[in-house]
Amino acid sequence: DSGVTQTPKHLITATGQRVTLRCSPRSGDLSVYWYQQSLDQGLQFLIQYYNGEERAKGNILERFSAQQFPDLHSELNLSSLELGDSALYFCASSVESAPTNYGYTFGSGTRLTVV
Amino acid sequence: GENVEQHPSTLSVQEGDSAVIKCTYSDSASNYFPWYKQELGKRPQLIIDIRSNVGEKKDQRIAVTLNKTAKHFSLHITETQPEDSAVYFCAASGTSGTYKYIFGTGTRLKVLA
């Protein structure tokens, strides 16, 4: 157990629907990062939050949004889902805003299947 | 823009041989370079990292080298074992102030017994 908790582990939904993925960082970590990993693809950075504030944004679609709450858990909202959104969504956390000392710790991911 | 190229995409080696995976990054401000191992269906796990003020780092059978001038860094695995079979990702820290990682596209390593 990495200490980063992602729920749900699996999600199957229809096109056009909206889903929410949840991530709880390791105790003491202030930064949360969201990554998308499509089948046999690399890890695409979506967005980072640090202590409740958006810190960096990647190639995140306008249909996607995220937030980090006062208790530091984060949610990634995906709306108007398309077949191509099917992927593994990973959350990672780090102890500081600049994770150059310890690296990320990844959660186990949420596998989203859009049918 | 920020980019990390990783080669090869697949690599097969005989058990006991060495494996080398190479990455090139584009952002000269990158100063931290982690490597992750991802087994099928599981989360990426940090196996080794290197900072820009160091040229080489070793941890048992794995080592990483960094050439900042050429913007190259490499992962070396010696005496490979079947349990080393996985997908390996290199990454580089992003633009200063953002703290995100830019990942390479991954190398699928197969160690043949």
Side-chain angles (χ1 to χ4, degrees):
Chain A
D1 182 12
S2 68
V4 179
T5 303
Q6 286 189 250
T7 56
K9 292 191 183 304
H10 301 278
L11 198 50
I12 302 175
T13 190
T15 54
Q17 295 298 305
R18 172 189 169 94
V19 297
T20 297
L21 313 183
R22 182 187 170 103
C23 169
S24 294
R26 285 186 321 173
S27 177
D29 286 359
L30 298 179
S31 272
V32 170
Y33 308 79
W34 286 97
Y35 281 82
Q36 179 192 56
Q37 186 176 38
S38 301
L39 188 64
D40 288 337
Q41 296 291 312
L43 292 150
Q44 298 297 317
F45 171 73
L46 296 178
I47 198 162
Q48 176 205 358
Y49 280 84
Y50 174 73
N51 204 21
E53 294 186 0
E54 182 182 306
R55 182 60 65 93
K57 216 167 187 176
N59 296 324
I60 186 167
L61 299 172
E62 286 190 9
R63 300 184 286 110
F64 296 0
S65 65
Q67 54 184 327
Q68 186 178 29
F69 294 86
D71 67 353
L72 301 178
H73 91 271
S74 177
E75 293 181 357
L76 179 67
N77 300 296
L78 315 176
S79 61
S80 302
L81 285 167
E82 302 175 358
L83 296 177
D85 297 327
S86 296
L88 258 175
Y89 290 84
F90 284 104
C91 163
S93 72
S94 67
V95 69
E96 56 194 18
S97 62
T100 55
N101 288 329
Y102 306 106
Y104 289 165
T105 298
F106 280 91
S108 298
T110 293
R111 182 173 295 281
L112 172 67
T113 303
V114 182
V115 296
Chain B
E2 302 161 317
N3 185 47
V4 175
E5 293 186 1
Q6 183 171 348
H7 300 282
S9 57
T10 60
L11 179 59
S12 294
V13 298
Q14 289 294 133
E15 182 178 358
D17 287 350
S18 296
V20 180
I21 302 170
K22 299 182 178 182
C23 290
T24 303
Y25 62 98
S26 61
D27 188 351
S28 57
S30 294
N31 59 7
Y32 177 69
F33 307 90
W35 285 87
Y36 285 82
K37 175 183 180 182
Q38 186 179 28
E39 296 178 0
L40 188 63
K42 296 190 176 180
R43 64 184 179 91
Q45 291 190 286
L46 179 69
I47 56 171
I48 197 168
D49 56 15
I50 191 167
R51 294 171 190 78
S52 59
N53 59 347
V54 176
E56 183 173 358
K57 181 177 178 180
K58 190 172 181 180
D59 182 4
Q60 299 183 338
R61 295 187 298 107
I62 59 174
V64 58
T65 58
L66 172 65
N67 182 331
K68 280 220 76 176
T69 303
K71 298 183 189 173
H72 290 168
F73 58 116
S74 300
L75 178 72
H76 304 253
I77 307 174
T78 59
E79 301 173 14
T80 53
Q81 301 168 1
E83 52 264 39
D84 294 329
S85 296
V87 178
Y88 292 80
F89 291 97
C90 63
S93 57
T95 303
S96 178
T98 65
Y99 314 122
K100 64 181 186 286
Y101 295 164
I102 306 301
F103 282 85
T105 49
T107 295
R108 185 174 301 278
L109 174 64
K110 295 181 183 178
V111 179
L112 307 171

